[in-house]
């Protein structure tokens, strides 16, 4: 027989059941309902439901079949009009037989008196083989510790230790007690914590702020629920705000219904572990903005100490501290704001009721189912949670949400010295900003000092130019005075009528041509120099006066050679002259170096 796909809805007076039976013979079907029982049969489909409320057959029931969609719709009147049937989306619970809905102890004592009488009648064999007693050390006893949903599993990882080493962080959990698991977990988290990574996300939080803006589906559903409660001042059905997809309904039908025998301590542990798993799931949805990737299964199981370290919590505060530490140690985004956001999301999910919790668990089940080897976590935890949550009372979840909402978690509770790290980083940042500001001020002062330097240079250049002008005037006056003195000396020497002696010490009768040639050379060289023009004109006047002499005494000839040599030196080194004149204000100095042009001219004249 095939269990068909189905869904239930209700209004104040009727319960509506929609059954999908494609390719069935609609002409042959049977429907039976009485009290809380409902049965439907249309070959090859069979459906049996145990309803959360009572229905009655009073002539108002209706049934219809849609041949295009292959759906059979049945409307059944409620025994008490206006009664609300809770848990119509809990398909696995609805499929359970009525006798299994109330779990009974797995071990019961039946007919104890009869068994006792049989034991009394049976004779005891005294001739059994006996062996001496040997005391066994406690260290040799291999005690196995439990884990999984409600700590009902053991000896699972002994056979699969090699394959499941990537799923959980603890090695050989069957021989590690709960306290030691916690100590090892805290040590691993302390070793994994990276202050640089945390501070980088703390100061550069653009990506964190972006993901925090994402709103998952339960945010809108929670707003609608709160708005309706404020309007009517009464609780509404939490399941009406949660819609299951067809894939999720199919998965619910595949679950095998079973009852879990849990004592008070085990139930407490189950509720706390549920919070831990939901927190990890909320973080995954937030940072990936609802999309799944290859790291989704890693994020969920790594952030949940229940799944990764098989942890057993004793209080909600311990759950929050463990989750906060793991968020700041393992994933890509490590920010305390993500921790508080996940807590707020978990509160909203619990306030929406078991329908929202079941939808999240089904999504986790799908993530682990599609990842190898994380599927083992479905067998240990998630599948049992999906079946168990459907039978949980909504009041329990509401009380759990209230306790989680009242719980507080601060950075000091994490135990990683977060506040001290942030304070030290802020101080360093302030020092860097001060140094940066000081550097900016010094850079701004540099251009102003440079401008002041340029102004001083301009003023010094102006004063130097004025000094050059005054020096040139002094040189002109001194040159005119020297010209007068030289003319007087020439007149005195002319009276002596001494023969002209050249620079080589040879006597010549007429040297007019030599002086003319030297005069022409001097004109060319003087024109190419940068010596002030007035000084050059005075020197030319001196040369013309010397050239007009037909015969000069020996001393005068030597003086004329010196004058010609002085003109050549001025032409070949103008820069040195102007620099010396400008810098020191000195007159022209007579060089002891002989002028080769004069020698060349005199030699050529002798040959002629």
């Amino acid at each position: 027989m095939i269990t068909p796909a189905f869904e239930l809805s209700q209004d104040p007076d009727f319960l509506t059941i929609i059954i999908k039976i494609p390719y069935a013979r609609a002409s042959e079907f049977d429907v039976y309902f009485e009290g809380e029982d409902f049965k439907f049969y249309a070959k090859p489909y069979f459906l049996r439901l145990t309803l959360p409320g009572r229905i009655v057959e009073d002539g108002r029931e209706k049934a219809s079949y849609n041949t295009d969609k292959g759906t059979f719709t049945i409307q059944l009147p409620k025994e008490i009009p206006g009664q609300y049937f809770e848990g119509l989306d809990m398909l696995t619970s609805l499929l359970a037989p009525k006798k299994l809905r109330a779990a009974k102890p797995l071990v019961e004592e039946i007919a104890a008196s009869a068994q006792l009488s049989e034991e009394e009648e049976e004779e005891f064999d005294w001739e059994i083989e006996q062996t001496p007693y040997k005391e066994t050390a406690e260290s040799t006893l291999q005690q196995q510790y439990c884990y999984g949903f409600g700590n009902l599993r053991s000896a699972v990882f002994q056979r699969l230790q090699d394959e499941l080493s990537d799923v959980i962080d603890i090695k050989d959990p069957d021989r590690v007690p709960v306290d030691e698991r916690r100590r090892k977990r805290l040590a691993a988290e302390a070793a994994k914590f990276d202050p640089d990574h945390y501070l980088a996300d703390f100061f550069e939080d653009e990506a964190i702020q972006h993901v925090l803006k994402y709103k998952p589906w339960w945010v809108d559903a929670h707003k609608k629920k709160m708005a309706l409660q404020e309007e009517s001042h009464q609780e509404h059905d939490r399941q009406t705000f949660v819609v299951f997809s067809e894939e999720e309904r199919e998965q619910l039908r595949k679950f095998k219904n079973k009852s879990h025998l849990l004592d008070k301590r085990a139930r407490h542990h189950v509720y706390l572990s549920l919070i831990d798993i939901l927190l990890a799931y909320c973080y995954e949805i937030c940072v990936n903005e609802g999309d799944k990737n290859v790291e989704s299964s890693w994020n969920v199981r790594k952030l949940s100490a229940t799944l990764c370290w098989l942890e057993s919590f004793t209080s909600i505060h311990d759950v929050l501290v463990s989750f906060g530490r793991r968020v700041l140690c393992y994933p890509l985004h490590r920010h305390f704001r993500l921790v508080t956001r996940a807590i707020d999301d978990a509160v909203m999910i619990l306030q929406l009721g078991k329908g929202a919790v079941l939808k999240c668990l089904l999504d986790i089940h799908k993530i682990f189912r599609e990842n190898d080897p994380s599927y083992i976590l479905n067998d240990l935890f998630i599948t049992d949670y999906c079946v168990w949550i459907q039978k949980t009372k909504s009041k329990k979840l509401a009380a759990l949400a209230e306790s989680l909402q009242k719980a507080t978690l601060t950075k000091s509770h994490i135990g990683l010295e977060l506040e001290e790290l942030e304070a030290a980083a802020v101080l360093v940042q302030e020092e860097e900003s001060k140094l940066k500001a000081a550097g900016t001020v010094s850079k701004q002062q540099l251009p102003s000092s440079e401008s002041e330097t340029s102004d001083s240079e301009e003023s010094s250049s102006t004063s130097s130019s004025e000094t050059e002008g005054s020096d040139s005037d002094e040189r002109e006056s001194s040159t005119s005075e020297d010209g007068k003195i030289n003319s007087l000396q020439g007149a005195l020497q002319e009276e002596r009528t001494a023969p002209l002696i050249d620079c080589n010490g040879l006597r010549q009768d007429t040297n007019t041509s030599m002086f003319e040639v030297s005069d022409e050379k001097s004109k060319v060289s003087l024109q190419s120099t940068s010596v002030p023009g007035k000084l050059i004109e005075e020197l030319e006047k001196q040369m013309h006066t010397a050239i007009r002499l037909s015969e000069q005494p020996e001393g005068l000839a030597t003086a004329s050679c010196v004058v010609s040599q002085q003109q050549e030196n001025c032409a070949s080194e103008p820069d040195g002259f102007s620099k010396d004149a400008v810098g020191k204000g000195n007159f022209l100095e007579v060089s002891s170096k002989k002028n080769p042009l004069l020698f060349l001219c005199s030699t050529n004249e002798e040959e002629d």
Side-chain angles (χ1 to χ4, degrees):
M1 306 297 283
I2 301 175
T3 301
F6 66 97
E7 57 182 282
L8 289 81
S9 61
Q10 62 179 327
D11 57 35
D13 298 326
F14 289 91
L15 173 69
T16 303
I17 304 175
I18 301 176
I19 307 172
K20 297 180 180 180
I21 50 173
Y23 312 111
R25 299 180 63 178
S27 57
E28 299 179 1
F29 68 91
D30 293 324
V31 177
Y32 169 81
F33 59 94
E34 181 181 2
E36 297 178 351
D37 296 333
F38 173 83
K39 297 181 179 66
F40 173 85
Y41 172 75
K43 191 177 181 179
Y45 298 99
F46 175 75
L47 178 64
R48 180 188 60 215
L49 300 177
T50 302
L51 302 175
R54 296 181 63 84
I55 53 179
V56 65
E57 183 178 0
D58 59 1
R60 294 182 296 163
E61 58 273 5
K62 299 179 183 178
S64 61
Y65 179 71
N66 189 327
T67 56
D68 296 332
K69 297 181 180 180
T71 58
F72 203 95
T73 304
I74 304 174
Q75 287 185 337
L76 304 175
K78 295 181 178 179
E79 185 176 79
I80 303 175
Q83 181 185 5
Y84 171 70
F85 289 0
E86 184 180 2
L88 295 182
D89 286 335
M90 308 293 105
L91 303 186
T92 306
S93 178
L94 294 175
L95 290 171
K98 186 176 181 180
K99 62 181 180 180
L100 294 179
R101 291 178 63 86
K104 295 182 179 181
L106 299 181
V107 179
E108 287 186 280
E109 186 178 5
I110 301 175
S113 58
Q115 292 181 0
L116 183 60
S117 60
E118 292 179 0
E119 292 178 359
E120 292 176 353
E121 293 178 358
E122 187 178 16
E123 294 183 359
F124 183 75
D125 187 7
W126 293 96
E127 301 297 331
I128 59 175
E129 185 178 359
Q130 302 182 56
T131 56
Y133 171 75
K134 293 182 180 180
E135 186 175 0
T136 305
E138 293 182 0
S139 59
T140 60
L141 294 176
Q142 295 183 355
Q143 183 178 0
Q144 292 186 349
Y145 298 94
C146 299
Y147 41 79
F149 177 83
N151 287 330
L152 298 177
R153 300 291 187 90
S154 63
V156 175
F157 291 95
Q158 287 182 350
R159 303 184 300 269
L160 305 173
Q161 185 66 40
D162 295 336
E163 299 180 7
L164 303 179
S165 58
D166 295 334
V167 179
I168 60 175
D169 289 347
I170 185 173
K171 295 182 179 180
D172 197 11
D174 294 288
R175 294 182 175 85
V176 179
V178 176
D179 295 338
E180 187 175 351
R181 294 178 200 169
R182 184 175 293 109
R183 288 194 298 269
K184 290 184 177 181
R185 175 179 64 83
L186 295 175
E189 291 168 355
K192 183 64 178 176
F193 178 69
D194 186 0
D196 295 336
H197 193 149
Y198 171 75
L199 292 176
D201 287 349
F202 178 75
F203 288 104
E204 301 175 2
D205 58 348
E206 292 82 5
I208 307 297
Q209 298 299 329
H210 174 73
V211 299
L212 287 174
K213 295 178 181 178
Y214 173 73
K215 295 182 179 179
W217 60 266
W218 55 75
V219 174
D220 294 335
H222 186 266
K223 287 182 179 179
K224 293 178 181 178
K225 172 182 172 294
M226 293 293 108
L228 288 176
Q229 282 188 355
E230 291 178 358
E231 292 177 0
S232 59
H233 301 285
Q234 62 182 1
E235 291 191 3
H236 286 258
D237 179 20
R238 294 176 177 84
Q239 308 303 324
T240 58
F241 303 101
V242 180
V243 179
F244 291 94
S245 64
E246 185 57 35
E247 182 182 3
E248 292 169 344
R249 292 178 178 277
E250 180 64 25
Q251 184 60 47
L252 286 175
R253 289 191 292 268
K254 290 181 179 179
F255 286 141
K256 182 180 179 181
N257 185 64
K258 57 182 177 180
S259 298
H260 301 88
L261 188 62
L262 302 174
D263 57 12
K264 184 177 180 180
R265 183 177 181 181
R267 285 196 300 270
H268 186 68
H269 165 68
V270 168
Y271 281 115
L272 295 178
S273 297
L274 175 64
I275 295 176
D276 185 46
I277 296 173
L278 287 178
L279 289 174
Y281 174 73
C282 292
Y283 175 92
E284 156 64 21
I285 295 298
C286 179
V287 296
N288 290 323
E289 301 182 35
D291 297 330
K292 306 297 188 302
N293 54 39
V294 294
E295 297 294 332
S296 296
S297 62
W298 186 91
N299 281 337
V300 175
R301 60 184 170 85
K302 201 72 174 180
L303 298 181
S304 172
T306 299
L307 302 177
C308 194
W309 281 89
L310 308 178
E311 180 69 90
S312 296
F313 296 104
T314 57
S315 66
I316 294 179
H317 182 73
D318 292 343
V319 176
L320 299 182
V321 171
S322 172
F323 173 71
R325 289 172 61 91
R326 300 190 72 80
V327 167
L328 301 180
C329 292
Y330 290 99
L332 176 62
H333 300 297
R334 306 177 185 180
H335 200 281
F336 189 77
R337 183 66 184 87
L338 293 174
V339 179
T340 57
R341 168 64 186 273
I343 295 173
D344 295 339
D345 289 345
V347 170
M348 285 188 285
I349 292 172
L350 291 173
Q351 288 178 345
L352 285 172
K354 57 185 179 182
V357 177
L358 178 59
K359 188 175 180 67
C360 295
L361 292 173
L362 289 173
D363 198 11
I364 298 173
H365 191 278
K366 180 182 178 181
I367 292 173
F368 288 160
R369 187 173 66 246
E370 296 174 352
N371 182 269
D372 188 25
S374 297
Y375 66 89
I376 190 64
L377 296 176
N378 283 338
D379 296 337
L380 289 175
F381 293 97
I382 309 303
T383 300
D384 290 327
Y385 267 111
C386 290
V387 176
W388 169 81
I389 197 65
Q390 299 182 53
K391 305 172 185 178
T392 305
K393 295 181 179 180
S394 298
K395 293 182 180 180
K396 293 284 187 180
L397 296 180
L400 186 64
E402 184 178 359
S403 300
L404 179 60
Q405 191 173 16
K406 291 180 179 179
T408 58
L409 179 68
T410 62
K411 294 180 180 179
S412 60
H413 295 153
I414 301 298
L416 298 175
E417 298 181 353
L418 302 180
E419 296 177 344
E420 290 79 359
L421 283 174
E422 293 174 6
V426 169
L427 290 177
V428 173
Q429 193 177 36
E430 291 177 355
E431 292 293 333
E432 292 179 352
S433 61
K434 290 180 181 178
L435 293 175
K436 191 174 181 181
T440 305
V441 172
S442 62
K443 288 181 180 179
Q444 292 177 354
Q445 292 177 352
L446 282 176
S448 61
S449 62
E450 290 178 356
S451 61
E452 293 175 358
T453 305
S454 62
D455 295 339
S456 61
E457 290 178 354
E458 290 177 359
S459 61
S460 62
S461 62
T462 305
S463 61
S464 62
S465 62
E466 293 175 356
T467 306
E468 288 178 1
S470 61
D471 292 342
S472 61
D473 294 339
E474 292 177 359
R475 285 196 296 270
E476 290 176 1
S477 61
S478 62
T479 304
S480 61
E481 292 176 357
D482 292 341
K484 293 179 181 180
I485 295 172
N486 291 334
S487 61
L488 292 174
Q489 290 178 354
L492 292 174
Q493 290 176 356
E494 188 176 0
E495 294 178 357
R496 294 174 59 184
T497 62
L500 182 62
I501 306 299
D502 60 4
C503 295
N504 292 326
L506 300 176
R507 179 176 176 174
Q508 295 183 0
D509 296 333
T510 57
N511 289 327
T512 306
S513 62
M514 178 188 69
F515 285 105
E516 289 177 355
V517 173
S518 63
D519 181 40
E520 292 175 359
K521 297 290 184 178
S522 299
K523 287 180 178 180
V524 174
S525 62
L526 289 170
Q527 290 176 358
S528 63
T529 61
S530 62
V531 182
K534 293 183 179 181
L535 181 60
I536 295 173
E537 291 176 0
E538 293 294 333
L539 292 174
E540 287 179 352
K541 290 179 182 180
Q542 297 290 333
M543 290 183 63
H544 283 295
T545 304
I547 289 171
R548 285 197 295 269
L549 297 176
S550 60
E551 288 184 353
Q552 295 180 355
E554 182 178 357
L556 186 59
T558 304
S560 64
C561 292
V562 170
V563 172
S564 300
Q565 185 176 0
Q566 185 176 356
Q567 291 178 353
E568 290 294 329
N569 290 337
C570 292
S572 61
E573 297 177 358
D575 296 337
F577 169 75
S578 68
K579 180 179 180 182
D580 184 72
V582 173
K584 297 181 181 180
N586 296 332
F587 297 98
L588 290 173
E589 296 180 359
V590 178
S591 176
S592 61
K593 186 177 180 181
K594 298 179 180 181
N595 195 341
L597 293 177
L598 297 178
F599 300 144
L600 180 61
C601 294
S602 62
T603 305
N604 293 336
E605 195 173 33
E606 287 178 356
E607 291 178 355
D608 293 336

